[in-house]
């Protein structure tokens, strides 16, 4: 768990937070590939919701804790009572993003948070898509005007660094890789 995630929050910004990963990218670009690859293990292999908003991981965590304070929920027992028989509940933060709240699986981190599906400031992302784009960005590979060249580059990176199979196309309309790659590249050029 990154140090900016306060107790009792359980939150994985490697999997759910765009701006956190932008900061990580700048460090990964200066270091050995093994460091980035190890960090990417936290992303897992599923489909998930990825927060693109302005709140930092610490601000998201603190906003969730503030929500619970306003409800006088200050310990694990009160949290469990609030959650009741539900597997999860949804709350809305100051930027209008929605977050799912579940029971954490760590004793000291009993409030597990992640962005809600189709919430404001979020997109759905496959883990392999995110890992592919992060690899492209770590290696500072630009998007080219030539679609076949982009496809060749993506497949080379997937094979060489991630041991993932090749993809068949990077269709501009429906390629999650291309869309996410553009988001990261555009953010890097504006920072």
């Amino acid at each position: 768990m990154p140090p900016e995630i306060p107790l009792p929050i359980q939150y994985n910004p490697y999997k759910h937070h765009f701006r956190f990963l932008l900061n990580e990218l700048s460090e990964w670009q200066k270091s050995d590939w093994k460091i980035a690859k190890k960090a990417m293990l936290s992303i897992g292999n599923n489909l998930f919701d990825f927060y693109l908003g302005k709140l930092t991981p610490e601000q998201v965590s603190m906003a969730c804790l503030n929500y619970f304070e306003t409800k006088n929920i200050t310990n694990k027992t009160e949290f469990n009572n609030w959650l009741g028989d539900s597997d999860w509940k949804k709350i809305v933060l100051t930027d209008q993003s929605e977050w799912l709240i579940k029971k954490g699986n760590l004793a000291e981190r009993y409030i597990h948070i992640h962005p809600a599906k189709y919430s404001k400031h979020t997109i759905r992302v496959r883990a392999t898509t995110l890992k592919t784009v992060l690899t492209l960005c770590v290696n500072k590979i630009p998007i080219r005007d030539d679609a076949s060249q982009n496809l060749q580059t993506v497949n080379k990176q997937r094979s060489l660094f991630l041991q993932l199979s090749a993809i068949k196309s990077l269709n501009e309309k429906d390629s999650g890789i291309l869309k996410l790659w553009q988001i990261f590249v555009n953010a890097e050029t504006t920072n």
Side-chain angles (χ1 to χ4, degrees):
M1 196 75 48
E4 62 266 31
I5 309 301
L7 291 171
I9 299 292
Q10 180 180 341
Y11 175 48
N12 183 352
Y14 288 97
K15 187 174 182 175
H16 296 294
H17 204 284
F18 172 65
R19 300 211 181 276
F20 174 83
L21 285 174
L22 274 180
N23 291 334
E24 291 295 291
L25 272 175
S26 65
E27 294 303 313
W28 295 345
Q29 289 168 340
K30 299 176 213 168
S31 61
D32 186 78
W33 167 249
K34 291 176 188 172
I35 292 170
K37 187 173 182 178
K38 182 179 178 188
M40 284 188 213
L41 290 175
S42 299
I43 295 171
N45 295 308
N46 300 327
L47 179 67
F48 50 82
D49 300 286
F50 192 59
Y51 176 71
L52 300 172
K54 300 281 187 209
L55 298 176
T56 66
E58 184 177 23
Q59 289 170 327
V60 167
S61 298
M62 293 309 295
C64 291
L65 290 176
N66 288 339
Y67 172 87
F68 289 113
E69 282 180 24
T70 65
K71 303 281 186 199
N72 293 319
I73 299 168
T74 58
N75 61 49
K76 188 174 186 176
T77 301
E78 291 168 347
F79 172 75
N80 288 339
N81 289 338
W82 172 80
L83 200 55
D85 292 334
S86 300
D87 289 335
W88 55 269
K89 287 189 178 181
K90 194 183 296 186
I91 66 172
V92 179
L93 301 188
T94 56
D95 68 349
Q96 301 307 303
S97 61
E98 297 175 335
W99 292 75
L100 291 186
I101 310 296
K102 304 176 359 176
K103 286 182 184 178
N105 58 6
L106 304 171
E108 71 281 2
R109 294 190 180 275
Y110 55 87
I111 301 173
H112 182 172
I113 66 170
H114 60 83
K117 188 188 297 188
Y118 307 118
S119 168
K120 188 172 187 176
H121 309 301
T122 65
I123 58 173
R124 299 283 282 164
V125 175
R126 293 191 187 291
T128 55
T129 296
L130 180 56
K131 289 176 188 179
T132 299
V133 170
L134 290 172
T135 302
L136 292 161
C137 292
V138 166
N139 292 311
K140 300 180 182 178
I141 298 173
I143 299 172
R144 307 279 183 204
D145 291 333
D146 182 338
S148 64
Q149 188 178 22
N150 287 332
L151 179 61
Q152 190 175 36
T153 300
V154 165
N155 283 332
K156 182 177 179 184
Q157 296 293 302
R158 285 171 62 91
S159 172
L160 186 63
F161 291 98
L162 300 170
Q163 292 73 52
L164 293 172
S165 60
I167 59 171
K168 293 180 180 160
S169 76
L170 278 177
N171 182 321
E172 187 122 1
K173 285 191 290 188
D174 55 25
S175 170
I177 291 173
L178 189 55
K179 288 175 186 174
L180 191 60
W181 192 7
Q182 288 169 334
I183 289 170
F184 271 94
V185 167
N186 290 340
E188 287 179 329
T189 58
T190 59
N191 286 343

